[in-house]
Amino acid sequence: MKKILGTTLTLLGLTVFGQTKEDSIQFAKISTEILNKGKAYNELRELTKNIGHRLSGSASYEKAVTWAEQKLRDAGADKVWLQEVMVPVWVRGKESLQIKTSNGKWKSLKMLSLGNSEGTGGKDVSGEIIMVRSMEEYDKLLPEQVKDKIVFFNYPFSQTYIETFRGYGDAAKYRSTAASLTAKKGGKFAIIRSLSSAFDDVPHTGSMRYQDDKKIPAVAVGSTTADELAELLKSQKIIAKLNSNCGMKGEKLSHSVIGEITGKKDKSVIVVGGHLDSWDVGEGAHDDGSGIVQSIEVLRTFKNLGIQNNHTIRVVCFANEENGVKGGVMYGKTVKENNEKHLFAIETDAGGFTPRGISLDMDNEKRKQIQSWADLFLPYGVYDFKNTYSGTDLYPLHDLGIPTAELVPDSQRYFDIHHTEEDTFEKVNRRELLLGASTLTQIIYMIDKNW
């Protein structure tokens, strides 16, 4: 199905917009360039091994800002700048969780405080554990049953969903609300089963939020610990003791990092980006160092192949996605204030695994147009264009009516390591990472040519 002499063909009910033999040739050039000469993998090694995890407001995040600014210049950006963003400063500090069983001995558990959680101020806080397996089960508890207790929300990550992001979304409400729900009925702190697809003892952190002024701690334990704790609670009373120093320390000025190559036709903008920050455990390799280096690779590939882009192609390394989304909000605000025309924005924030598709959060006409290009992507293993969500940092742009999208990698391994100490450079495969960069470059090439 080809565009012939400037016309649009409609075959079998599918309209084909702007797809030509030359596009297929260009796709092959993009893939060959990136798989053979791409620098994303080496740059990810630099980011993760020389800087490491990069929580907003930390010294390591500021090092990452300097690093990203230089990498965008090295990639050939015509213009690079820093966008000021006020970000929350959350500090973990020392933390420990212990339980005491009927034998009277204390046992330490592997745990992580949830992001944005308040701690215990360095003091021991203890109480009896009560367990619930669902939100509905918790709702049935009377305040006097919860008062001065520790509530353990033992809700497992569903293994049923083939698309693991559905399992994550299903379980995420426990992470975000456990502390406030417990506090409303007088509990001392909350424990949640980690949002993990793995059967191991690795705790996962992640953002939570308070619904009112009563702020109590919330921590996560790994799947193995959760199962062991549930088994113990069947036969005996368990006391838990938490000591943690985490908490919010106000705000500070930070930056998103932005670079672009100017359009030859007009100043309309096409955005590709990821978030530069990460949680304060592991190295932030898949989440979202991979997205950052893939986005920079897009810009580099346009320059190296001499592709004359019609519209401005802009890479945005967003600040503070993990615990505030302040970078995405500020970028959207600036676009609105400057009345800056954006044609399309895509984020890569689902890991550096093999690309399987592109999720399209836009009107039906534009979605169908992109779906009509599916045959171009199929030789590269990219086939899934059915989803309709986009990256968290892009929601402010979507609210402005801008078509947004997200790269969809294979997700089967992502939630084994998401928000954990296991998210390291060694978990990223070079070819998978570069294939993702190739898919991003290919879709941006098509948008730039046809929109």
Side-chain angles (χ1 to χ4, degrees), residues 32-42 297 300-301 430 434:
T32 298
E33 169 71 19
I34 292 176
L35 288 175
N36 286 283
K37 299 179 182 179
K39 296 183 178 180
Y41 189 67
N42 290 336
E297 195 73 65
R300 179 185 296 113
T301 303
R430 179 185 181 276
L434 294 178

Side-chain angles (χ1 to χ4, degrees), residues 80-310:
V80 180
W81 70 99
L82 305 182
Q83 185 170 76
E84 292 187 350
V85 184
M86 292 299 296
V87 302
V89 180
W90 181 77
V91 177
R92 182 178 300 278
K94 294 182 179 180
E95 55 188 10
S96 67
L97 177 65
Q98 296 177 291
I99 59 170
K100 184 170 67 173
T101 60
S102 57
N103 65 16
K105 295 182 179 179
W106 288 98
K107 176 185 177 181
S108 293
L109 303 182
K110 290 186 67 176
M111 53 77 72
L112 285 174
S113 293
L114 296 181
N116 293 355
S117 173
E118 292 299 318
T120 67
K123 300 177 181 179
D124 289 342
V125 173
S126 60
E128 180 185 352
I129 298 177
I130 57 173
M131 184 181 75
V132 294
R133 296 186 179 275
S134 68
M135 204 70 77
E136 292 74 20
E137 193 174 318
Y138 179 76
D139 289 342
K140 293 177 182 178
L141 294 176
L142 299 173
E144 52 265 32
Q145 293 175 286
V146 178
K147 184 173 174 57
D148 295 330
K149 301 291 198 309
I150 286 80
V151 181
F152 170 36
F153 291 86
N154 189 24
Y155 185 84
F157 187 107
S158 176
Q159 300 294 326
T160 301
Y161 299 113
I162 303 304
E163 294 181 353
T164 59
F165 275 87
R166 294 182 66 187
Y168 177 72
D170 173 60
K173 59 181 176 289
Y174 292 89
R175 189 184 71 198
S176 62
T177 64
S180 288
L181 290 173
T182 301
K184 285 180 180 179
K185 294 185 179 181
K188 289 185 174 180
F189 65 89
I191 302 172
I192 70 160
R193 184 188 186 102
S194 286
L195 278 60
S196 174
S197 53
F199 292 85
D200 58 23
D201 203 30
V202 178
H204 295 229
T205 190
S207 188
M208 52 82 71
R209 63 178 183 270
Y210 291 109
Q211 297 172 352
D212 50 44
D213 293 333
K214 192 172 183 180
K215 299 179 179 180
I216 64 170
V219 305
V221 296
S223 300
T224 302
T225 289
D227 288 339
E228 291 174 351
L229 190 54
E231 189 64 28
L232 287 170
L233 286 166
K234 289 180 181 179
S235 60
Q236 57 188 289
K237 176 179 177 180
I238 305 292
I239 302 298
K241 179 170 64 178
L242 176 68
N243 190 306
S244 62
N245 289 282
C246 62
M248 284 292 185
K249 307 296 180 183
E251 292 185 321
K252 69 173 292 186
L253 180 65
S254 190
H255 301 86
S256 296
V257 186
I258 304 172
E260 65 184 30
I261 48 178
T262 306
K264 305 300 185 291
K265 176 183 175 182
D266 59 40
K267 294 182 179 180
S268 300
V269 177
I270 299 170
V271 165
V272 59
H275 64 86
L276 188 57
D277 63 311
S278 76
W279 282 109
D280 60 326
V281 291
E283 296 171 350
H286 277 290
D287 188 21
D288 184 29
S290 292
I292 292 296
V293 298
Q294 286 174 331
S295 298
I296 296 171
E297 195 73 65
V298 172
L299 190 150
R300 179 185 296 113
T301 303
F302 265 77
K303 296 292 285 190
N304 287 352
L305 291 180
I307 301 173
Q308 299 297 303
N309 50 298
N310 293 316

